[in-house]
Amino acid sequence: MNDIMSTSSNPAESGIDWAEKRYLIIDDFVGIRQLLRESLRNLGAKHIDQASSGGEAMVLLAKTRYDVVLCDYNLGDGKNGQQVLEEARIRNLMLPSSVWLMVSAEKSVESVMGAAEHQPDAYIIKPITEGVLLTRLNRVWNKKQIFREIDQAFADKDYLRAARLCDEQIAHNPLHAIDLQRMKATLMLKSGEPELARKVYEHVLEERDYNWARCGLAKILM
């Protein structure tokens, strides 16, 4: 824990400027929202919005393109965190390079949501320390930056160009090939090319039995 906390003492060492990014905290407990807000403030964050419910979160997501979303899985009445994530992705309210961290007090939540088509970028189990938060943010942010070049094409709804960019990134970033293949299949569907998306899902399933690939293929076959 000392090593983790020493990481949080100097966020600048990560080389990532957390100050100017836009954050959204979604949690139905005001105390948790305040704790997360203070943790982000200590990382240098300036632009932090908060939502106490899934419905409130959707209103904010429709207005602002957030760089980082910290969302509790259990949000009381109404939408849960997974449903908020799914709607945000379906409505294209998040850029491909944006980070979505799902927060939960239950260690089993990751396995429970393992079959969901829309996966968060990472899970964080409560209680959360600043060190754990910073370590997870650094790891996921660096991973998601391979999508940065795809963002503009995605925002312009030029899905075929974005898919070609996925192929280029796969060639240069083989460690992230699975995430890029998943994005490519999504882009193929959005561009009205289900047969090309099917080929992507089938190729992925030849390598490993991913739930999201099976779900995507099943939807196309139906």
Side-chain angles (χ1 to χ4, degrees):
M1 181 61 72
N2 289 336
D3 290 339
I4 292 177
M5 292 309 295
S6 66
T7 301
S8 68
S9 64
N10 189 1
E13 289 182 357
S14 67
I16 302 171
D17 180 14
W18 297 112
E20 296 305 320
K21 294 181 178 22
R22 301 201 67 89
Y23 302 82
L24 175 61
I25 299 170
I26 310 170
D27 199 295
D28 56 331
F29 287 103
V30 62
I32 299 297
R33 294 200 305 273
Q34 290 174 342
L35 285 172
L36 289 173
R37 181 174 180 272
E38 286 307 305
S39 294
L40 291 173
R41 289 286 189 196
N42 289 338
L43 300 184
K46 300 176 183 177
H47 313 293
I48 307 171
D49 291 335
Q50 301 179 50
S52 60
S53 67
E56 187 179 348
M58 293 311 307
V59 172
L60 292 171
L61 285 162
K63 293 179 179 178
T64 303
R65 289 298 180 104
Y66 291 99
D67 298 297
V68 177
V69 176
L70 292 167
C71 182
D72 190 31
Y73 178 70
N74 294 303
L75 297 173
D77 296 334
K79 301 177 189 293
N80 62 32
Q82 180 64 26
Q83 292 168 326
V84 174
L85 168 61
E86 289 174 357
E87 185 172 344
R89 292 259 176 87
I90 291 171
R91 292 173 57 188
N92 298 329
L93 302 181
M94 297 285 291
L95 289 171
S97 60
S98 300
V99 168
W100 191 291
L101 299 182
M102 193 71 77
V103 180
S104 176
E106 302 293 332
K107 293 184 178 180
S108 61
V109 68
E110 185 172 356
S111 60
V112 169
M113 293 189 293
E117 181 178 354
H118 296 277
Q119 292 286 321
D121 297 303
Y123 300 86
I124 301 183
I125 305 302
K126 298 177 182 178
I128 304 169
T129 67
E130 287 177 22
V132 168
L133 178 59
L134 178 59
T135 299
R136 194 61 56 86
L137 276 175
N138 282 333
R139 184 182 306 153
V140 178
W141 183 265
N142 286 324
K143 177 181 178 181
K144 291 302 290 287
Q145 292 323 291
I146 62 173
F147 291 105
R148 182 62 70 179
E149 295 181 42
I150 304 168
D151 278 356
Q152 190 58 54
F154 187 88
D156 293 340
K157 297 185 179 180
D158 189 350
Y159 301 128
L160 288 176
R161 177 171 174 270
R164 289 195 297 270
L165 289 170
C166 284
D167 285 333
E168 292 177 11
Q169 287 293 342
I170 289 170
H172 291 94
N173 296 280
L175 289 176
H176 303 306
I178 293 299
D179 292 322
L180 288 160
Q181 292 276 21
R182 182 174 182 173
M183 173 58 67
K184 180 182 177 181
T186 300
L187 292 164
M188 292 289 92
L189 289 173
K190 288 184 179 296
S191 63
E193 298 285 352
E195 189 62 22
L196 293 178
R198 180 183 65 81
K199 291 180 180 179
V200 175
Y201 287 132
E202 289 176 344
H203 174 73
V204 169
L205 289 170
E206 288 175 1
E207 302 294 327
R208 184 174 172 183
D209 186 20
Y210 287 97
N211 285 322
W212 58 265
R214 281 195 286 110
C215 289
L217 182 59
K219 288 175 67 175
I220 293 172
L221 294 174
M222 286 178 65

